[in-house]
Amino acid sequence: MTDDGAEAGSRPWTDLPRELADHMRPHLDEVADDMIQEIQARVREYDRPGDGPYSSTLRLAVERVLHYFVERVADPRDPESSVIDFFRAIGRGEAGEGRSLDAVQTAMRVGGMVAWRRMAEGAAILEVPARTLGAVGEALMLFQDELAAAAAEGYAQARAAVAGEMQRRRKRLLDLLFADPPAAPEAIADLAAAAHWPIPRTVAAVALAQETRQPTAFPPDILSDLTRRTPSLIIPDPDGPGRAKLVDRALSGSLAVVGPTVPLNEAARSIEWARKTLGLAERGVIEATTGVIRSVEHMSTLILFQDEELITSLARLRLSPLSHLRSSQQDRLAETLLAWLQSGRNANEVAMRLHVHPQTVRYRLRQLEELFGDQLLDPDLRFDLEIVLRARALLSDRPGEQIIPSAKEAVGDTAEVVSFRR
């Protein structure tokens, strides 16, 4: 089976008579001239007058192709690969110049057509059998495919190298923009130019959760680095027309947080807010499943959790009257007290908020008055209570995270601080 496969892979070269190469060699210069003339007439990119580098490269390519083809007819067992490497280099050169492979591929087709025309004319003179002529045509087409594949391979390699270098520059630019203190504006401008990234007036940073499906492609003006510990992006001019929808589409299916819009030199502040918001979303403090969260819509929560040890210490101080109660009693009274503070201390509105009877609310309020006493009359203390009760409400569904201290923790300066963190 292997031998059959190898034999099939060597066809049609093995079907060609070796002496055919001897008939071809004396005519190679004429065929090369015909091919070059036809290519220059039909392919505008190769119509360069004189003997400049473009014309020299074209002649070199044509002559290499013809000599390689003839030598392979003469000995198909050990085909020489230099012409394949040469066409890989041509593909890399086209990519490096920012051109497509269209001109190269068209030139190959035109050259192959001229070569086939000359072979057919020679075959008629030499009375070559139809079967042999068919094998020559098949070999010519396979040869063209090999050269086209080599050019495409070189082109792809060069494009990948350019894309890789550009991505490295963009990741470095992301590092500079997130640096604290900020990098020098000149350094940012130089690297932005090298990364082909137009400097915007404003930006917003994005933090993505590691465990969610990461997007694979973004619009070209968005800087991205998904390999960071917190995968991150920078969106230029995020408040421009249609930009919010574009961002939402790009991040669809991912848990992502967009930081506030800031001047370019404050990108570090935007990513800091985005990361903090993401952390709260992953803990469940900010409600989210998948989709885009915007930090500016959760500023009060961010303020509450800016210093968790401080808010916990305040909770230990202000909520100590509840510390000796059972957990279920703490929950009911804390919920009632927060609703009372939020509703202008109106018992009927509290009842509607909590969906309980007004008499139940009044009973709980009497309990709270007994526990807190004159604290409920002091506006500053009521403000403190609302802060810590709001934080408690945000943590109420998080197992292992609490804010009301136990009786032991509520007394004395030596009491252990109850942490929000698990």
Side-chain angles (χ1 to χ4, degrees):
M1 185 173 183
T2 303
D3 291 342
D4 291 343
E7 184 179 352
S10 66
R11 293 171 182 167
W13 301 100
T14 53
D15 293 340
L16 299 177
R18 307 283 75 81
E19 62 271 15
L20 195 58
D22 296 329
H23 292 291
M24 291 179 177
R25 286 192 183 96
H27 305 285
L28 291 183
D29 289 342
E30 298 173 32
V31 176
D33 290 339
D34 286 352
M35 290 173 66
I36 291 169
Q37 184 176 354
E38 192 81 17
I39 288 170
Q40 289 179 328
R42 294 195 178 209
V43 186
R44 179 176 55 82
E45 289 82 354
Y46 291 91
D47 185 16
R48 307 290 178 93
D51 296 324
Y54 228 84
S55 298
S56 300
T57 301
L58 176 59
R59 176 165 289 280
L60 179 62
V62 168
E63 289 178 351
R64 281 197 177 193
V65 165
L66 289 174
H67 283 280
Y68 174 87
F69 183 84
V70 170
E71 294 310 315
R72 194 165 177 184
V73 171
D75 185 4
R77 294 170 301 172
D78 187 23
E80 199 237 324
S81 63
S82 63
V83 72
I84 302 299
D85 293 337
F86 181 73
F87 270 80
R88 286 196 191 99
I90 288 177
R92 288 193 292 269
E94 293 297 287
E97 294 293 330
R99 294 187 292 264
S100 72
L101 283 178
D102 293 348
V104 173
Q105 292 168 342
T106 303
M108 287 183 191
R109 288 193 294 270
V110 172
M113 179 188 68
V114 173
W116 172 245
R117 183 193 305 146
R118 293 297 300 262
M119 288 177 186
E121 292 170 355
I125 295 172
L126 297 173
E127 298 182 351
V128 174
R131 180 182 176 186
T132 300
L133 185 60
V136 171
E138 185 179 353
L140 183 61
M141 286 187 288
L142 288 174
F143 183 46
Q144 279 186 282
D145 287 345
E146 289 177 9
L147 298 183
E153 182 183 352
Y155 188 86
Q157 288 171 348
R159 288 292 296 270
V162 169
E165 177 58 29
M166 194 63 65
Q167 184 60 24
R168 282 190 290 274
R169 291 174 184 172
R170 288 183 160 229
K171 287 182 178 181
R172 174 59 182 150
L173 180 57
L174 204 70
D175 290 339
L176 285 186
L177 293 172
F178 287 162
D180 188 15
E186 296 80 8
I188 291 174
D190 290 346
L191 191 52
H196 297 174
W197 191 68
I199 293 181
R201 186 177 59 85
T202 60
V203 295
V206 177
L208 295 98
Q210 280 279 8
E211 65 273 14
T212 59
R213 182 186 65 81
Q214 301 298 338
T216 56
F218 299 102
D221 63 340
I222 292 180
L223 298 179
S224 65
D225 185 358
L226 303 184
T227 63
R228 301 171 75 93
R229 184 171 61 181
T230 301
S232 305
L233 317 173
I234 282 186
I235 302 168
D237 298 321
D239 299 329
R243 297 293 283 175
K245 289 184 179 179
L246 181 148
V247 171
D248 288 350
R249 284 196 302 270
L251 299 175
S252 175
S254 303
L255 177 55
V257 176
V258 180
T261 299
V262 295
L264 183 67
N265 63 349
E266 296 182 22
R269 180 164 64 89
S270 185
I271 192 61
E272 181 183 7
W273 282 38
R275 288 172 183 157
K276 288 181 177 179
T277 307
L278 177 63
L280 293 176
E282 290 177 324
R283 286 169 57 186
V285 175
I286 292 175
E287 185 177 356
T289 51
T290 57
V292 178
I293 302 169
R294 286 175 168 79
S295 292
V296 293
E297 297 174 1
H298 302 277
M299 292 179 68
S300 60
T301 303
L302 286 168
I303 292 171
L304 274 179
F305 287 82
Q306 183 70 16
D307 188 331
E308 298 193 18
E309 290 185 358
L310 186 61
I311 193 82
T312 306
S313 296
L314 182 62
R316 183 186 64 177
L317 178 65
R318 296 293 178 238
L319 299 182
S320 59
L322 302 178
S323 61
H324 67 284
L325 302 177
R326 295 192 307 273
S327 176
S328 58
Q329 289 178 300
Q330 289 181 352
D331 290 342
R332 284 195 299 270
L333 292 179
E335 181 184 48
T336 302
L337 181 54
L338 178 59
W340 180 73
L341 293 168
Q342 290 176 327
S343 59
R345 295 171 286 165
N346 185 305
N348 290 328
E349 187 173 337
V350 173
M352 287 188 290
R353 279 177 176 242
L354 301 183
H355 305 289
V356 297
H357 195 278
Q359 192 60 35
T360 302
V361 171
R362 293 188 181 94
Y363 171 72
R364 292 180 187 174
L365 290 175
R366 284 194 295 273
Q367 288 182 289
L368 290 167
E369 288 174 0
E370 292 174 4
L371 291 168
F372 287 90
D374 292 342
Q375 291 187 59
L376 300 182
L377 302 177
D378 187 323
D380 292 333
L381 295 180
R382 288 201 303 268
F383 180 73
D384 287 356
L385 283 169
E386 186 168 355
I387 288 175
V388 295
L389 288 168
R390 281 178 179 270
R392 175 204 170 276
L394 289 168
L395 291 172
S396 60
D397 295 329
R398 307 302 301 158
E401 299 195 67
Q402 59 165 318
I403 194 170
I404 299 179
S406 67
K408 178 182 177 182
E409 294 162 333
V411 294
D413 292 336
T414 59
E416 180 183 357
V417 172
V418 182
S419 175
F420 282 87
R421 302 182 181 88
R422 296 190 184 114

